Amino acid sequence: QGELSAIDILGMSGQKLLHGSLQEMPEAGLHLAISSVGCETDPRATIVAGKPYNHEVYGRGGHAYGTLEFVGARVLLIQAGDPVMAIDCGNENELQYTASRMDGRVLASA
């Protein structure tokens, strides 16, 4: 039980933007929480590892948002039964990923 790993998510300037925390929760498994700086007790999003290829996503206050579902090399964020975002791997060896809306508009890349 407790935090297994923590990571600072930095902007292009090197300033810390978000805090990531991987935790082992009793009887609930692994949780990845993403929080604003100084608000680590109220994560903006939490991903709970579930069955292989299907993870639950929660928003602020622990409210259920949707699921992450793996479809081949793509990960889809499903909300109310509809895909709302896709995460695609550009170069897995170099950890290059792109998050896009379902209309193709790029939201983020790393």
Side-chain angles (χ1 to χ4, degrees):
Q1 180 181 344
E3 188 170 84
L4 300 175
S5 183
I7 185 171
D8 292 337
I9 301 168
L10 309 177
M12 296 298 290
S13 68
Q15 181 178 3
K16 182 177 176 179
L17 300 177
L18 299 168
H19 174 78
S21 174
L22 183 63
Q23 300 177 346
E24 177 76 38
M25 304 298 269
E27 299 180 24
L30 291 174
H31 286 104
L32 173 63
I34 305 294
S35 307
S36 295
V37 176
C39 297
E40 287 80 5
T41 58
D42 185 20
R44 290 176 141 316
T46 303
I47 300 169
V48 179
K51 300 177 281 181
Y53 309 110
N54 189 1
H55 304 299
E56 297 172 5
V57 179
Y58 296 89
R60 286 189 123 162
H63 298 288
Y65 181 81
T67 58
L68 286 177
E69 298 181 10
F70 293 77
V71 181
R74 183 174 239 203
V75 179
L76 297 177
L77 175 59
I78 308 294
Q79 199 254 341
D82 295 317
V84 295
M85 184 179 77
I87 302 170
D88 294 293
C89 178
N91 183 332
E92 191 173 304
N93 293 329
E94 295 185 22
L95 300 176
Q96 293 178 346
Y97 295 92
T98 301
S100 306
R101 291 180 4 170
M102 296 313 296
D103 65 5
R105 183 173 146 224
V106 174
L107 300 170
S109 62

